[in-house]
Amino acid sequence: MTDKPVLQPGPDHPITVTPNHNRVIVTVAGKVVADTRNALTLQESTYPPVQYVPLADVDQSLLERSSYESYCPFKGDATYYSIPLGGDKSKDAVWEYNEPYEAVAAIKGHVAFWDGRVDSVDVEAEGQRA
């Protein structure tokens, strides 16, 4: 088995992690799965920004650990959760980097939701009401 490559963010592949104090609400099948004002926005290169929500602000009773895993040379090994409430659509819908690489260490203890596998990931602007 070969070692996994570890890459550092840089000018050709920038990654930033910034606090997002706007309210982030994730829903599946009409239920709120996550609700926080403590998300982190991870912006990687030209990809759309991803909201990383503290696991403490997620209704973990709605999550089921998946056997699926993936690897990102910039972030590390990811493990996944499914959301049974959402049926097949929500399989492997949530990922977490338990030991993220140093460049993105802030996302430890946070999870992200795959936009197409949940009903919504809403980011409310300051002053907006739910």
Side-chain angles (χ1 to χ4, degrees):
M1 186 173 144
T2 61
D3 288 326
K4 296 174 183 171
V6 177
L7 302 176
Q8 295 297 318
D12 293 336
H13 194 98
I15 298 177
T16 59
V17 179
T18 55
N20 178 358
H21 298 294
N22 292 320
R23 188 174 183 197
V24 176
I25 303 169
V26 180
T27 58
V28 172
K31 276 196 89 93
V32 173
V33 178
D35 188 347
T36 190
R37 288 189 184 274
N38 296 303
L40 297 172
T41 302
L42 186 143
Q43 178 65 60
E44 180 175 359
S45 190
T46 59
Y47 301 116
V50 175
Q51 301 304 312
Y52 278 79
V53 174
L55 194 53
D57 293 339
V58 175
D59 183 345
Q60 296 176 52
S61 71
L62 299 176
L63 304 183
E64 182 178 276
R65 180 65 75 181
S66 166
S67 61
Y68 186 73
E69 297 178 354
S70 66
Y71 177 73
C72 171
F74 293 96
K75 296 186 290 288
D77 291 303
T79 57
Y80 287 73
Y81 298 91
S82 293
I83 307 170
L85 182 68
D88 286 342
K89 169 187 166 185
S90 296
K91 183 177 181 192
D92 305 325
V94 185
W95 69 91
E96 174 180 28
Y97 290 93
N98 291 308
E99 297 297 328
Y101 291 152
E102 188 175 335
V104 295
I107 65 171
K108 185 178 178 85
H110 292 67
V111 296
F113 295 84
W114 195 330
D115 209 16
R117 295 188 182 184
V118 297
D119 293 343
S120 65
V121 177
D122 290 327
V123 179
E124 295 180 356
E126 286 276 338
Q128 214 178 3
R129 286 194 333 206

